[in-house]
């Protein structure tokens, strides 16, 4: 692993190709998540997806001889799994029944806004003028999307779905802060594998309770959606992502995730024929601008 990190640090072109590849896969995954609802319920798909993802990661843990996390960390991994895997994707997949895939990706990737707010309170990070301005701009973006839909008389189910996605983004932000406080000392692969395992268990029981007896169609398309999102988008991409953030600064890493909703919008537009409203475009630009501004470093005073 150390040799791989050294090679990536030496070859920045390979590093950026990896970043671009991951963000394209994550952006394309939104189309598959939306399309999967034609074949099964949102919770059943999440059970299949993260079940496959968790098994893949656990096999990587075994073959790479990473080992089990210490027992005192299990309760924290359960919390992270509940917040980051279970709550986020149960809410997002349910919301996808009503909300376009492209819009869902934009709203969910408002997560850095909520992470920044929570970091000030719980990680005692300073709220710089740049962060404050970025947060305000990002909030305006969310209001533009929600307010635009309300103003245009959008279906109440769509508004409800959008609110669920924002709650999911907040849950993701909480998990990031909780991870920094309680789990950061663990191996990245170890933490990802076991939090996904615990989150998947929660999703499985929710599926049994909410979707028992509902039809599940397993065919070439639906199996492809499960395998792509489970193995590639969930397991392998997260593993490569944690390798990447080990060799680049967090500002660069955070800014690169802004490509995900961009690709999500592009793929959804071309493959699902989704259209972007004016308020959607304004909201997207404001959220992207807000997150970018919040990441700016203040110049040092001489």
């Amino acid at each position: 692993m150390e040799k791989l990190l050294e090679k990536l640090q030496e070859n920045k072109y390979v590093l950026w190709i990896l970043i671009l590849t991951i963000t394209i896969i994550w952006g394309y995954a939104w189309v598959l998540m939306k399309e999967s609802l034609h074949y099964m319920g949102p919770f059943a798909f999440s059970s299949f997806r993260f079940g496959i993802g968790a098994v893949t990661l656990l096999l990587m843990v075994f073959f790479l001889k990473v080992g089990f996390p210490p027992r005192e960390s299990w309760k924290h991994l359960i919390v992270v799994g509940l917040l980051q895997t279970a709550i986020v994707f149960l809410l997002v997949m349910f919301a996808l029944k009503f909300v376009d895939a492209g819009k869902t990706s934009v709203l969910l990737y408002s997560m850095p806004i909520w992470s920044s707010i929570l970091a000030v309170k719980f990680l005692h990070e300073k709220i710089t003028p740049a962060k404050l301005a970025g947060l305000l701009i990002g909030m305006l973006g969310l209001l533009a999307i929600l307010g635009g839909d309300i103003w245009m008389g959008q279906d109440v189910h769509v508004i409800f779905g959008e609110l669920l996605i924002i709650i999911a983004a907040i849950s993701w932000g909480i998990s990031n802060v909780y991870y920094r406080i309680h789990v950061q000392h663990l191996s990245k692969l170890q933490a990802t594998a076991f939090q996904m395992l615990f989150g998947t268990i929660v999703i499985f029981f929710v599926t049994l309770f909410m979707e028992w007896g509902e039809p599940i169609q397993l065919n070439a398309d639906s199996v492809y959606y499960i395998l792509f999102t489970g193995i590639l988008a969930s397991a392998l991409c997260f593993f490569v992502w944690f390798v990447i953030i080990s060799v680049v600064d967090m500002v660069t890493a955070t800014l690169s995730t802004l490509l995900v909703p961009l690709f999500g919008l592009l793929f959804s537009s071309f493959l699902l024929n989704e259209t972007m409203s004016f308020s959607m475009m304004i909201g997207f630009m404001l959220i992207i601008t807000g997150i970018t501004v919040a990441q700016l470093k203040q110049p040092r005073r001489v």
Side-chain angles (χ1 to χ4, degrees):
M1 179 61 72
E2 291 181 0
K3 291 183 179 180
L4 175 62
L5 295 179
E6 289 176 4
K7 288 183 179 180
L8 286 176
Q9 286 176 325
E10 293 172 359
N11 197 329
K12 297 295 182 182
Y13 291 108
V14 174
L15 184 64
W16 279 105
I17 289 173
L18 284 176
I19 290 175
L20 184 62
T21 301
I22 287 174
T23 52
I24 289 174
I25 290 173
W26 280 340
Y28 173 59
W30 287 101
V31 172
L32 306 188
M33 290 160 64
K34 181 75 172 181
E35 289 291 277
S36 71
L37 299 179
H38 295 301
Y39 303 100
M40 63 193 74
F43 304 147
F45 174 77
S46 296
S47 292
F48 282 121
R49 172 189 177 178
F50 290 106
I52 293 291
V55 168
T56 303
L57 286 169
L58 289 171
L59 287 174
M60 293 171 68
V61 167
F62 175 76
F63 286 112
L64 294 175
K65 299 179 180 180
V66 176
F68 283 74
R71 286 191 176 182
E72 59 268 21
S73 298
W74 281 44
K75 60 182 179 182
H76 299 305
L77 289 170
I78 291 172
V79 173
V80 174
L82 178 66
L83 291 169
Q84 183 170 326
T85 297
I87 292 178
V88 169
F89 286 96
L90 285 171
L91 293 178
V92 164
M93 285 304 301
F94 186 77
L96 274 171
K97 294 173 66 176
F98 318 110
V99 186
D100 286 347
K103 183 183 291 186
T104 302
S105 68
V106 172
L107 291 174
L108 184 63
Y109 275 83
S110 67
M111 171 273 297
I113 296 173
W114 310 110
S115 291
S116 299
I117 293 172
L118 293 165
V120 172
K121 173 67 176 177
F122 297 102
L123 299 179
H124 308 294
E125 293 186 2
K126 293 182 179 179
I127 185 75
T128 63
K131 282 187 176 180
L132 181 59
L135 292 174
L136 292 174
I137 294 170
M139 289 293 187
L140 284 175
L142 292 176
L143 289 174
I145 295 173
L146 287 174
D149 283 350
I150 293 172
W151 179 262
M152 291 186 296
Q154 184 63 268
D155 188 285
V156 67
H157 292 93
V158 175
I159 304 296
F160 176 68
E162 291 172 356
L163 291 174
L164 289 182
I165 298 163
I166 292 175
I167 294 172
I170 295 172
S171 180
W172 190 1
I174 294 172
S175 76
N176 289 341
V177 173
Y178 192 91
Y179 177 93
R180 285 274 299 273
I181 296 173
H182 298 289
V183 188
Q184 194 172 18
H185 62 284
L186 297 178
S187 155
K188 298 295 188 292
L189 177 57
Q190 203 176 53
T192 305
F194 283 89
Q195 71 82 17
M196 188 175 291
L197 171 64
F198 294 133
T200 302
I201 293 171
V202 175
I203 292 173
F204 177 73
F205 281 108
V206 171
T207 303
L208 288 179
F209 181 75
M210 298 293 292
E211 295 181 355
W212 180 260
E214 291 191 15
I216 296 175
Q217 297 181 46
L218 293 178
N219 52 37
D221 289 336
S222 62
V223 171
Y224 166 67
Y225 300 157
I226 291 168
L227 293 179
F228 187 97
T229 57
I231 296 175
L232 277 180
S234 297
L236 296 182
C237 277
F238 273 109
F239 173 69
V240 175
W241 175 252
F242 285 129
V243 171
I244 288 171
I245 63 175
S246 299
V247 295
V248 301
D249 61 276
M250 285 307 298
V251 172
T252 302
T254 303
L255 291 177
S256 66
T257 62
L258 299 181
L259 292 172
V260 178
L262 175 61
F263 286 126
L265 285 169
L266 291 175
F267 282 123
S268 299
S269 176
F270 286 115
L271 300 178
L272 301 179
N273 295 318
E274 294 180 356
T275 57
M276 282 181 40
S277 64
F278 179 73
S279 62
M280 176 66 193
M281 290 188 289
I282 295 297
F284 172 71
M285 294 306 299
L286 285 172
I287 291 173
I288 297 297
T289 302
I291 295 173
T292 305
V293 169
Q295 298 296 327
L296 295 177
K297 293 182 178 179
Q298 284 187 300
R300 295 181 179 179
R301 296 182 180 178
V302 181

